[in-house]
Amino acid sequence: MPLRILLADDHTLMRQGLRHILESNAELEIVAEASSGIEAVEAARQFKPDVAVVDVAMKELNGIEATSQILKHSPHTAVLILSMYSDERYVLRAVKAGARGYVLKNSAADELIRAILTVQRGMAFFSPAVADIFQDGFASLKDARVTNDRYELLTDRERQVYQLLAEGNSNKEIANRLSLSLHTVETHRWRIMEKLDLHSTADLVLSAVRRGMVTER
């Protein structure tokens, strides 16, 4: 029986390319696609895939936050992060969120397939350029701590609102996007600012960039 795969990337051409690569292997079956982190979480909840291949730099809910939520709804799914970034801050946060692997987008097709098969068996897989960042292996990565500890105080919803704010959305736009009242969004914003000790919108955006919440496209 082929492995059931979820593809999550906000670029249609990238998803089409990934589908073409993966469908060439009889061991793999694409059961769902998602164009955002929010869609990826819902698809994981619905389809319970064996492996979720998730882009790190998606809007509304980035791949790292999506990873954490995917695993809450489908704990047996192995998450493989796909990214153009080999920066340590992304890799550390991805592993802390529960990802089993991290593959760069410029990797060869056979490396991606090998990564999927590896993480599905419960083992870790990192592209060589990523693995070179670390010297002590996957076990030490699992124990790594990201320096911005205040971020851990945020709830899942607050993290989502935090990213949307940092992307330049107004309170009203966020309320419409998340089907929340304007008052609720304003409350989330106040709590985010308080928990992260931020004092302006500029501070909020800068802090999100430093955490890798918002990336250059």
Side-chain angles (χ1 to χ4, degrees), residues 84-119:
M84 66 177 65
Y85 304 102
S86 60
D87 191 304
E88 181 176 338
R89 61 180 174 169
Y90 296 112
V91 184
L92 285 173
R93 288 185 59 223
V95 172
K96 190 173 182 181
R100 290 187 190 169
Y102 195 106
V103 176
L104 298 180
K105 285 189 173 181
N106 61 3
S107 301
D110 60 344
E111 180 176 317
L112 175 59
I113 291 175
R114 189 166 69 254
I116 290 173
L117 297 176
T118 298
V119 299

Side-chain angles (χ1 to χ4, degrees), residues 48-210:
K48 300 293 192 293
D50 297 306
V51 178
V53 180
V54 180
D55 178 25
V56 74
M58 292 185 289
K59 291 186 177 180
E60 299 182 345
L61 187 68
N62 64 72
I64 294 172
E65 293 306 323
T67 294
S68 178
Q69 294 190 34
I70 284 171
L71 293 174
K72 288 181 180 179
H73 298 297
S74 183
H76 300 298
T77 296
V79 178
L80 177 66
I81 293 292
L82 189 63
S83 176
M84 66 177 65
Y85 304 102
S86 60
D87 191 304
E88 181 176 338
R89 61 180 174 169
Y90 296 112
V91 184
L92 285 173
R93 288 185 59 223
V95 172
K96 190 173 182 181
R100 290 187 190 169
Y102 195 106
V103 176
L104 298 180
K105 285 189 173 181
N106 61 3
S107 301
D110 60 344
E111 180 176 317
L112 175 59
I113 291 175
R114 189 166 69 254
I116 290 173
L117 297 176
T118 298
V119 299
Q120 193 278 328
R121 292 195 296 268
M123 297 180 288
F125 188 101
F126 296 92
S127 289
V130 174
D132 287 347
I133 296 174
F134 308 97
Q135 298 179 352
D136 299 325
F138 185 67
S140 62
L141 282 179
K142 294 291 285 186
D143 293 332
R145 293 292 180 269
V146 180
T147 57
N148 296 306
D149 292 334
R150 282 180 174 269
Y151 181 76
E152 303 303 320
L153 300 174
L154 302 183
T155 65
D156 287 343
R157 178 64 84 184
E158 287 168 350
R159 293 181 186 190
Q160 191 173 2
V161 171
Y162 177 26
Q163 178 167 341
L164 289 168
L165 287 169
E167 289 172 356
N169 294 281
S170 67
N171 289 353
K172 184 176 180 180
E173 288 170 333
I174 296 172
N176 291 335
R177 179 67 186 87
L178 301 181
S179 299
L180 300 173
S181 70
L182 183 59
H183 174 72
T184 298
V185 173
E186 291 172 345
T187 299
H188 283 316
R189 182 184 184 124
W190 176 79
R191 288 176 177 167
I192 291 164
M193 302 285 280
E194 182 182 46
K195 289 180 180 181
L196 300 184
D197 193 26
L198 303 174
H199 307 287
S200 68
T201 300
D203 287 346
L204 186 148
V205 173
L206 181 58
S207 70
V209 171
R210 287 174 174 170

Side-chain angles (χ1 to χ4, degrees), residues 34-53:
S35 60
S36 72
I38 294 174
E39 289 182 7
V41 173
E42 180 54 37
R45 187 203 312 264
Q46 179 178 352
F47 293 97
K48 300 293 192 293
D50 297 306
V51 178
V53 180

